[in-house]
Amino acid sequence: MKPVPSVPPAASASPAPPARHLARLWASLTPRRIAINLIVATVAAIALNPIFVTPFLSVWGRSIFVGLMLLVAFDIAGHWPSRWLPRWVVQVAAVVITAPVATLVAYLVMVQGDVTSFQRNEGLLWGFFSIATTGLAVGLTLALGALYRERDAQARSQALAFELERSTLEKQALDARLRLLHAQVEPHFLFNTLANVQQLVESGSERAGPVLNSLIAYLRATMPSLAQTSSTLGHEIGLVRAYLELMRMRMPDRLAFDVAVPDALAGLPFPPMALLTLVENAVRHGIDPSETGGRIEVGARADARQACVEVWVSDTGAGMDEKAAPGTGLANLRERLKATYGDAARLELCDETPHGLRATLVLPDPSPQFAKLDPGAAP
């Protein structure tokens, strides 16, 4: 016997019309289930035939009748609304009651309803007991097996539902975390940029006015980018160029830069503001503290062997101060990489010779097209 669909809670509260129960019952009696029932009844008849003196067809007919009645009773109990007992208890009880009752009906039909002759005939009583016992044993075995399979299927379904819900909640938490980290980039970047303009104003530099005008134009172009949750390397390179041009206006004698990124990598999906964070860090902690200033280089390459893309920012400024506390920008960037790529991306920092710092973003290669680039190209 195969498991039948569970009755929804709403059906328990307000029983469905009899016609609907009949429709569900008819739908559950599939040809496959009926065929399995006939096969089991036939095997039982073959096993019982040696102890009967009646022809095999008679034993077979009674076995089929009892088997079909057990199947129908099991299905009816499965569809019938029950408020006081679990559905599986009702189904097992239905099988226990139906096995002897169906066997008795089959024998009464055979004796044309003569109960007295049935009671006085030891052969008929022995046949009734044999078929009823066999039907009860086989029916309970199949019913419990079907209920177990149904319970197992429900458990797997619930496990899949829980896993789906857990994945959905994890994704929502990750999205919220990324939005929070991204929101922290905006004030950090703006305050650092305004601090550079403030230094020019306080020193009375003639470049304060042009730099401020450039900053306003730059912010008008970049403010929409601050709210984006996705970007490309080409777009981020454009922001970096504009920022470095602005910084060179502030200190034309102390800052030089070069940006060289292959055109094939322009469409690479890239975390918004990530590259600008590295460039800003190079200006603020590398070029500014250095008495002679320095040079900033931005580049990228695809590594087909490692299936990754490397994007770096190097400077010849003051270099890394081991005693300095980690900055907000780099800590934030590492968190964003972890949240977006997991362990597939990383930020590497190393000293440059003779002085300076190199920051490299290693991202997983998202597209086979980058494998066409020269993997051994020097950075």
Side-chain angles (χ1 to χ4, degrees):
M1 300 178 185
K2 292 186 66 178
V4 296
S6 303
V7 178
S12 299
S14 57
R20 186 177 302 177
H21 287 304
L22 291 176
R24 291 179 179 176
L25 175 62
W26 182 258
S28 65
L29 296 175
T30 61
R32 181 176 181 272
R33 299 183 69 211
I34 295 176
I36 293 176
N37 188 277
L38 293 177
I39 292 174
V40 173
T42 301
V43 173
I46 294 174
L48 292 174
N49 187 59
I51 66 175
F52 282 83
V53 296
T54 55
F56 171 74
L57 290 179
S58 177
V59 179
W60 184 52
R62 278 173 274 178
S63 298
I64 289 178
F65 175 77
V66 173
L68 290 176
M69 290 301 100
L70 288 173
L71 176 62
V72 172
F74 183 82
D75 284 355
I76 291 177
H79 290 107
W80 201 262
S82 176
R83 298 182 180 180
W84 307 107
L85 293 175
R87 184 171 57 84
W88 70 270
V89 174
V90 178
Q91 289 180 284
V92 170
V95 170
V96 172
I97 295 173
T98 302
V101 171
T103 307
L104 179 60
V105 170
Y107 273 88
L108 289 178
V109 170
M110 187 177 65
V111 298
Q112 298 179 352
D114 189 351
V115 179
T116 302
S117 62
F118 170 72
Q119 292 176 339
R120 293 177 180 179
N121 191 319
E122 293 184 0
L124 293 179
L125 291 175
W126 173 249
F128 164 79
F129 176 78
S130 300
I131 293 180
T133 303
T134 303
L136 180 61
V138 175
L140 282 177
T141 301
L142 294 178
L144 293 175
L147 291 171
Y148 174 80
R149 289 194 300 273
E150 180 183 10
R151 178 70 62 86
D152 185 60
Q154 290 177 348
R156 289 197 302 270
S157 178
Q158 289 180 352
L160 291 175
F162 289 152
E163 181 65 22
L164 178 60
E165 183 178 3
R166 185 181 68 83
S167 300
T168 302
L169 292 176
E170 286 182 351
K171 184 180 184 301
Q172 292 175 350
L174 178 60
D175 291 341
R177 184 182 176 191
L178 283 174
R179 286 194 296 269
L180 176 61
L181 291 173
H182 186 71
Q184 293 174 352
V185 173
E186 301 176 15
H188 180 264
F189 165 71
L190 292 177
F191 290 149
N192 286 348
T193 306
L194 292 174
N196 290 327
V197 177
Q198 183 182 14
Q199 292 177 3
L200 293 177
V201 173
E202 291 178 349
S203 64
S205 172
E206 297 178 354
R207 296 193 302 272
V211 169
L212 183 58
N213 291 333
S214 298
L215 174 60
I216 293 173
Y218 171 69
L219 291 178
R220 284 176 178 172
T222 57
M223 281 299 289
S225 301
L226 296 177
Q228 292 181 355
T229 57
S230 61
S231 184
T232 63
L233 180 57
H235 180 74
E236 296 301 307
I237 288 296
L239 297 182
V240 164
R241 288 183 187 274
Y243 176 78
L244 288 175
E245 289 288 354
L246 179 63
M247 291 300 102
R248 185 160 59 179
M249 289 186 64
R250 183 173 69 87
M251 43 183 173
D253 300 330
R254 302 181 61 247
L255 174 62
F257 68 87
D258 179 62
V259 179
V261 175
D263 293 337
L265 294 180
L268 174 72
F270 202 81
M273 310 295 288
L275 187 58
L276 193 59
T277 298
L278 296 182
V279 173
E280 181 194 13
N281 192 73
V283 172
R284 185 174 180 81
H285 300 288
I287 305 303
D288 275 348
S290 176
E291 295 181 359
T292 59
R295 178 180 179 85
I296 294 178
E297 293 185 356
V298 181
R301 73 180 181 114
D303 189 337
R305 296 189 185 93
Q306 300 296 327
C308 67
V309 174
E310 296 180 359
V311 183
W312 65 88
V313 176
S314 64
D315 67 81
T316 60
M320 185 162 41
D321 185 358
E322 297 180 355
K323 298 181 180 180
T328 303
L330 294 184
N332 185 294
L333 178 56
R334 283 194 170 95
E335 286 290 324
R336 292 171 62 201
L337 291 177
K338 180 70 174 179
T340 305
Y341 300 101
D343 296 330
R346 62 186 184 275
L347 170 62
E348 300 176 348
L349 301 178
C350 61
D351 291 322
E352 287 282 78
T353 303
H355 52 78
L357 180 69
R358 178 187 177 101
T360 304
L361 283 174
V362 182
L363 305 179
D365 186 354
S367 173
Q369 67 177 337
F370 298 125
K372 299 178 182 179
L373 299 178
D374 182 9

